[in-house]
Amino acid sequence: MKPLEKFLKKQGSHLAARAGPGAGGQLPRRQSVSKILLPGFLKEPPEEEPPEGGTETPGDGRWLELRPSDSALRSPTSFSSEELSPGGGGGGEAPLSPESVPTCCWAPLAEPESPDRLLGRLLERLGGDPTAPHGHGCGADLLLDDIVLTHSLFLPTEQFLHQLHQHFITASTIPSPSCWKEGEAMHRKRAVLVILLHFLETYKGILQEEEKAGKVIKDLYLLIMKDSSLYHKLEDEILKLHQLVETVELKVTEENHPPSKQVKPLFRHFRRIDSCLQTRVAFRGSDEIFCRVYMPDHSYVTIRSRLSASVQDILTSVTEKLQYSDEQPTREEALILVAVASSGEKSVLQPNEECVFTTLGINSHLFACTKDTFPSLVPLPDEVQVSPGDTEIHRVEAEDVANHLTAFHWELFRCVHELEFVDYVFHGERGRRETANLELLLQRCSEVQHWVATEVMLCESLGKRAHLLKKFIKIAAVCKQNQDMLTFYAVVIGLNNAPVSRLRLTWEKLPGKFKNLFRKFENLTDPCRNHKSYREVLSRMKPPIIPFVPLILKDLTFLHEASKTLVDGLVNVEKLHSVAEKVRTIRKCRSRPLSLEMESSPQQLQTKAYVRQFQVIDNQNLLFELSHKLESNSQ
């Protein structure tokens, strides 16, 4: 069992008996080859104390009822973004774009609506008060943000935009419907424009991957630009729309071929010093990468592939490469694609699976083989070679390592689009969109905790090992000071990894001051009472913050499984609001830029390169073997 999974399972073991009837269902998303991403404990509910004097939420798995504002005790997942986000309610930080989302009270719809009618109700709410800013009624901005963030749970994006397009055409019809009041057509056009602007602000950067949705937006954009009645009253909004459409590159015609893209580095064996030192940018499904696909004899072919390529596309590229090799006559049987971990675990990938590159484990590799040669697959030899001795960690300062870790993880965190969190958890319910950046961030979290264990296991000297424990505790302390809770958690989990924690002689040599400090860190990461200690510390922090991302996914998973999105064909708007509130906490964490003072000396560049390309052992059995060699009699 991997350390992060083991740590998170602690809170699930004593809750299993209390899990509700619907708590044990499997998440409706494809199984990741890297099991660290969403461990099984997520299927169990958080531990909550019973409310005092409040009405208990029904556990029938249907409607998610929000507690009234005067409830004495609430679950952390029901707190608003101002309450649960870093900085509390009085931080005064402006949220990240979309900037139009206010902190007003959320006003739900009077009654549930079907997916086809919900957008119409939103337009009525947005255009209901012409004297309000942008024509919005009370709470309409927050309801707008809720629906834009979560509409894909009940309505595909293309269909959502088609409905918006149709509403604009209806508002442009002359004469207007008899049931409309005077001026209502203009208010509805304005509401459509407001929704489109907010949609583009939220989705920019990922719309390039959705060609059908982009075509609908272009059609709606042309309709709005041709409507002369909008220019006089909405000149600023029209100009903003024009800028946003150009930003997301929706005006590129089919005959204009985009320039060739630079291949991005993704895997360890293709990382060069110059590429790992560059600032990380977000991956998109259309990005091209290089990948090695190995044969049973450990020979390999290098292919150039889209990140979102299916398994069948990868196999086709491999087959084409093999046609030019001398071994081609022996490969007449159809190939299958297999992910092989360093532990020897093998997973056959299905032909229709997509985006498999970012779901691979830390030291996993892709193998192409026939069904007959599948049993003979073994990990690459270089994945299990161990060379004990002093590594780079012994030559660098703890503060420098911690600062470079925070800087790198901030880059990775900024690359994750907020909608990837929703798509990752609600994948099976709402359709396909890549979550590559989130999966890479989760993989990095796993990599850091294995890095801690690896460095300790490779240190043969007892005195140096104790000094190394001291250095890792310092790194965790600096990361906590930097408000990098992701790295903080990963380092603490790595030190709690069984091969490390069993080294009794090593821990006994640790000074008492650091023993007490590490004990405080363990209390902070204690999952009791739904991570109460961590949430309290997080609520006192102000942006920029790197939160512990697996806990955000856990909260979203509970929201997903606690109630249905559609009940009797009606949209559970309260559930959408709770999901959107969780996403807004991510915005709050990133609402200010990270600023760390670091030198640009050659030594710092060397530390930066070391931090960004760890060489780790992710085979738990091998870590245990090394641990027993260091201290055979430790308990």
Side-chain angles (χ1 to χ4, degrees):
M1 183 181 296
K2 297 185 179 180
L4 178 58
E5 183 180 3
K6 177 180 178 181
F7 170 77
L8 293 176
K9 274 183 174 287
K10 288 181 181 179
Q11 63 177 324
S13 60
H14 67 284
L15 295 175
R18 300 177 55 184
Q26 182 67 28
L27 283 177
R29 75 181 306 274
R30 61 187 169 89
Q31 178 70 28
S32 173
V33 177
S34 178
K35 294 185 176 61
I36 201 68
L37 302 187
L38 269 183
F41 88 100
L42 293 179
K43 296 189 287 292
E44 292 162 15
E47 182 178 18
E48 298 181 10
E49 296 186 3
E52 300 176 6
T55 303
E56 187 175 355
T57 303
D60 59 357
R62 291 171 62 83
W63 295 103
L64 176 65
E65 298 181 1
L66 301 180
R67 298 183 184 276
S69 57
D70 57 350
S71 293
L73 186 64
R74 293 180 293 168
S75 166
T77 56
S78 68
F79 279 74
S80 68
S81 58
E82 288 298 316
E83 295 171 303
L84 187 56
S85 294
E93 296 84 2
L96 195 67
S97 179
E99 299 175 352
S100 59
V101 181
T103 56
C104 60
C105 297
W106 181 71
L109 298 174
E111 58 186 21
E113 286 289 354
S114 64
D116 294 335
R117 296 188 58 185
L118 185 59
L119 183 57
R121 291 294 303 278
L122 175 61
L123 289 170
E124 293 175 5
R125 178 73 68 85
L126 291 173
D129 184 7
T131 62
H134 303 296
H136 295 190
C138 177
D141 285 326
L142 206 54
L143 181 62
L144 166 62
D145 194 46
D146 291 348
I147 294 178
V148 169
L149 285 172
T150 61
H151 73 270
S152 58
L153 273 63
F154 60 89
L155 200 65
T157 297
E158 182 185 358
Q159 190 174 345
F160 176 84
L161 292 171
H162 268 301
Q163 287 189 12
L164 199 62
H165 183 275
Q166 189 58 45
H167 280 292
F168 189 87
I169 293 177
T170 303
S172 302
T173 303
I174 300 176
S176 300
S178 57
C179 59
W180 286 9
K181 300 178 182 178
E182 183 179 356
E184 186 170 349
M186 177 56 67
H187 296 322
R188 294 221 173 197
K189 289 181 184 180
R190 192 173 194 175
V192 170
L193 182 56
V194 167
I195 294 176
L196 182 59
L197 285 173
H198 193 82
F199 179 88
L200 291 175
E201 286 178 333
T202 303
Y203 276 74
K204 61 183 177 182
I206 61 175
L207 282 173
Q208 301 170 23
E209 306 299 320
E210 302 191 11
E211 298 180 2
K212 294 181 179 179
K215 184 179 185 303
V216 179
I217 292 176
K218 284 190 286 186
D219 293 342
L220 181 55
Y221 166 75
L222 293 176
L223 277 178
I224 293 175
M225 297 301 290
K226 292 177 182 178
D227 194 327
S228 59
S229 64
L230 295 174
Y231 281 97
H232 303 292
K233 297 182 179 180
L234 303 174
E235 183 177 352
D236 292 339
E237 287 85 347
I238 294 294
L239 178 60
K240 188 175 182 180
L241 174 63
H242 179 72
Q243 294 171 342
L244 281 172
V245 169
E246 287 190 333
T247 300
V248 298
E249 300 179 8
L250 292 173
K251 296 182 68 176
V252 178
T253 57
E254 294 180 359
E255 58 269 16
N256 293 334
H257 298 286
S260 58
K261 295 186 177 182
Q262 182 179 2
V263 179
K264 296 184 178 180
L266 183 63
F267 295 108
R268 181 174 293 105
H269 48 248
F270 281 113
R271 291 178 183 170
R272 303 185 307 272
I273 293 297
D274 57 340
S275 63
C276 78
L277 293 179
Q278 295 175 358
T279 301
R280 293 299 293 256
V281 295
F283 279 100
R284 299 297 174 216
S286 59
D287 290 335
E288 293 185 333
I289 62 170
F290 281 127
C291 176
R292 287 176 180 170
V293 180
Y294 292 85
M295 301 297 120
D297 59 358
H298 291 177
S299 63
Y300 65 86
V301 294
T302 302
I303 63 171
R304 180 170 177 167
S305 171
R306 289 179 297 105
L307 187 63
S308 61
S310 67
V311 170
Q312 186 60 54
D313 293 337
I314 297 172
L315 289 175
T316 300
S317 299
V318 171
T319 303
E320 291 176 356
K321 284 274 188 177
L322 293 176
Q323 288 177 353
Y324 299 98
S325 70
D326 296 335
E327 302 179 23
Q328 191 270 337
T330 65
R331 303 186 185 277
E332 296 179 357
E333 188 178 346
L335 298 175
I336 58 175
L337 195 65
V338 183
V340 181
S342 60
S343 62
E345 181 182 356
K346 294 176 284 191
S347 176
V348 180
L349 304 177
Q350 300 304 314
N352 60 343
E353 287 190 56
E354 298 178 343
C355 304
V356 297
F357 298 113
T358 54
T359 63
L360 293 173
I362 300 171
N363 290 327
S364 298
H365 291 279
L366 294 177
F367 279 74
C369 65
T370 62
K371 291 182 180 180
D372 293 337
T373 58
F374 172 78
S376 64
L377 295 181
V378 294
L380 298 180
D382 59 351
E383 299 296 346
V384 295
Q385 288 180 353
V386 178
S387 302
D390 289 349
T391 58
E392 184 68 21
I393 186 65
H394 296 275
R395 295 184 284 271
V396 294
E397 295 295 329
E399 185 175 359
D400 293 338
V401 174
N403 287 336
H404 282 293
L405 282 170
T406 298
F408 184 43
H409 297 165
W410 177 255
E411 291 178 16
L412 296 176
F413 183 48
R414 290 284 299 178
C415 287
V416 181
H417 196 285
E418 59 190 25
L419 291 169
E420 289 190 44
F421 289 87
V422 179
D423 293 331
Y424 189 93
V425 175
F426 296 85
H427 173 273
E429 185 169 325
R430 51 84 48 218
R432 190 74 176 103
R433 186 183 287 125
E434 292 81 7
T435 56
N437 300 290
L438 178 56
E439 290 177 336
L440 288 173
L441 180 61
L442 292 169
Q443 185 184 102
R444 174 63 177 184
C445 181
S446 175
E447 186 178 54
V448 170
Q449 47 111 351
H450 281 107
W451 162 67
V452 173
T454 300
E455 294 289 4
V456 174
M457 294 303 106
L458 296 183
C459 185
E460 295 181 323
S461 169
L462 178 60
K464 288 184 178 181
R465 249 191 345 267
H467 186 267
L468 196 55
L469 292 181
K470 179 180 173 181
K471 179 172 286 190
F472 279 124
I473 294 173
K474 283 184 179 179
I475 290 173
V478 176
C479 288
K480 180 175 178 290
Q481 183 179 350
N482 291 341
Q483 302 189 144
D484 178 7
M485 303 308 292
L486 181 71
T487 310
F488 169 79
Y489 254 89
V491 173
V492 173
I493 293 170
L495 292 174
N496 269 320
N497 193 355
V500 179
S501 62
R502 66 170 296 278
L503 300 176
R504 178 178 53 83
L505 298 178
T506 306
W507 284 95
E508 286 179 353
K509 290 186 68 68
L510 192 67
K513 173 184 175 181
F514 286 90
K515 289 181 181 178
N516 293 333
L517 183 59
F518 184 65
R519 194 173 296 113
K520 291 180 180 179
F521 291 167
E522 287 183 307
N523 292 335
L524 178 56
T525 57
D526 190 347
C528 289
R529 300 182 66 187
N530 197 14
H531 292 268
K532 182 177 183 293
S533 299
Y534 165 76
R535 295 184 193 273
E536 288 179 348
V537 170
L538 194 71
S539 66
R540 294 192 293 268
M541 293 180 176
K542 295 183 179 180
I545 302 163
I546 307 177
F548 184 49
V549 173
L551 188 56
I552 296 177
L553 297 174
K554 165 182 173 287
D555 291 341
L556 286 172
T557 302
F558 290 150
L559 288 173
H560 179 31
E561 296 189 348
S563 58
K564 296 180 179 179
T565 304
L566 294 176
V567 179
D568 298 329
L570 303 178
V571 179
N572 186 353
V573 182
E574 286 83 357
K575 176 179 178 177
L576 304 187
H577 176 67
S578 297
V579 172
E581 283 286 272
K582 184 59 61 175
V583 175
R584 282 189 281 269
T585 66
I586 301 167
R587 285 185 193 167
K588 188 74 177 291
C589 290
R590 304 191 291 201
S591 60
R592 286 184 177 179
L594 177 70
S595 178
L596 292 175
E597 295 183 1
M598 293 186 291
E599 300 177 359
S600 57
S601 62
Q603 183 179 357
Q604 290 295 327
L605 290 177
Q606 186 177 0
T607 303
K608 181 178 181 180
Y610 163 70
V611 163
R612 291 175 177 236
Q613 50 180 2
F614 287 144
Q615 300 293 327
V616 304
I617 301 172
D618 65 341
N619 185 343
Q620 195 73 358
N621 293 330
L622 180 56
L623 290 174
F624 266 112
E625 290 179 11
L626 295 172
S627 178
H628 281 278
K629 288 181 180 179
L630 295 176
E631 296 185 24
S632 59
N633 296 325
S634 294
Q635 299 294 329

